[in-house]
Amino acid sequence: QVQLIESGGGLVHTGGSLSVSCAASGRTFSRINVAWFRQSPGKERVFVAALRWNGGYTYYADSVKGRFAISRDNAKTTIYLQMDSLEPEDTAVYYCAADVEPYSILSSLRSPTAYEYWGQGTQVTVSS
């Protein structure tokens, strides 16, 4: 079992920055692949960024590449998503996710089906 709790969402103006965090507990965090997804009202949950358990692989959706950065602190068992140059289109509920199979196929890490555990989500709103 892995418990994930997001925090740090809020309201920001276009062009601003925001950082969201996800505190993990319940399992050996250093061996877990992690990711962020987001979901807007009436739309499917979509991939934002992923980070392999050993830090050797990161992947970003094209829409956030160059603006967002995923990272992890194994000592604090926490995942971060730094979001810069925010746009109204980034408005969504942001979810962190954990995949406890450290050797999952890399291409699968962009799909929500690869992740067994999810946080409750945190709202990010970007005003124009």
Side-chain angles (χ1 to χ4, degrees), residues 7-13 17-21 83 86 90-94 121-127:
S7 62
L11 173 65
V12 64
H13 293 297
S17 298
L18 199 63
S19 180
V20 291
S21 303
M83 301 179 286
L86 283 160
D90 296 316
T91 295
V93 177
Y94 283 71
T122 185
Q123 177 70 47
V124 172
T125 302
V126 185
S127 64

Side-chain angles (χ1 to χ4, degrees), residues 6 8 16 22 26 29 35 47 50 59 67 75 80 96 100 112 116-118 122 128:
E6 298 99 337
C22 176
F29 180 77
F47 171 76
Y59 201 95
R67 300 188 298 122
Y80 303 96
C96 64
V100 299
E116 299 88 358
Y117 300 98
W118 294 83
T122 185
S128 57

Side-chain angles (χ1 to χ4, degrees), residues 64-127:
V64 306
K65 200 172 295 183
R67 300 188 298 122
F68 289 14
I70 186 172
S71 62
R72 63 192 295 163
D73 185 331
N74 286 347
K76 297 182 178 179
T77 64
T78 301
I79 310 151
Y80 303 96
L81 184 68
Q82 175 65 39
M83 301 179 286
D84 298 323
S85 302
L86 283 160
E87 304 165 352
E89 294 73 23
D90 296 316
T91 295
V93 177
Y94 283 71
Y95 297 90
C96 64
D99 166 29
V100 299
E101 172 49 61
Y103 299 106
S104 292
I105 297 172
L106 294 180
S107 59
S108 71
L109 295 181
R110 300 176 69 181
S111 170
T113 60
Y115 299 89
E116 299 88 358
Y117 300 98
W118 294 83
Q120 82 288 353
T122 185
Q123 177 70 47
V124 172
T125 302
V126 185
S127 64

Side-chain angles (χ1 to χ4, degrees), residues 2-82:
V2 177
Q3 293 79 43
L4 302 169
I5 301 176
E6 298 99 337
S7 62
L11 173 65
V12 64
H13 293 297
T14 298
S17 298
L18 199 63
S19 180
V20 291
S21 303
C22 176
S25 62
R27 191 150 174 163
T28 304
F29 180 77
S30 61
R31 299 280 290 179
I32 296 174
N33 301 316
V34 296
W36 288 94
F37 287 77
R38 65 187 183 187
Q39 187 168 20
S40 302
K43 297 185 178 181
E44 293 184 350
R45 191 169 300 187
V46 297
F47 171 76
V48 175
L51 178 58
R52 195 78 181 271
W53 66 273
N54 60 1
Y57 169 77
T58 56
Y59 201 95
Y60 295 93
D62 288 343
S63 59
V64 306
K65 200 172 295 183
R67 300 188 298 122
F68 289 14
I70 186 172
S71 62
R72 63 192 295 163
D73 185 331
N74 286 347
K76 297 182 178 179
T77 64
T78 301
I79 310 151
Y80 303 96
L81 184 68
Q82 175 65 39

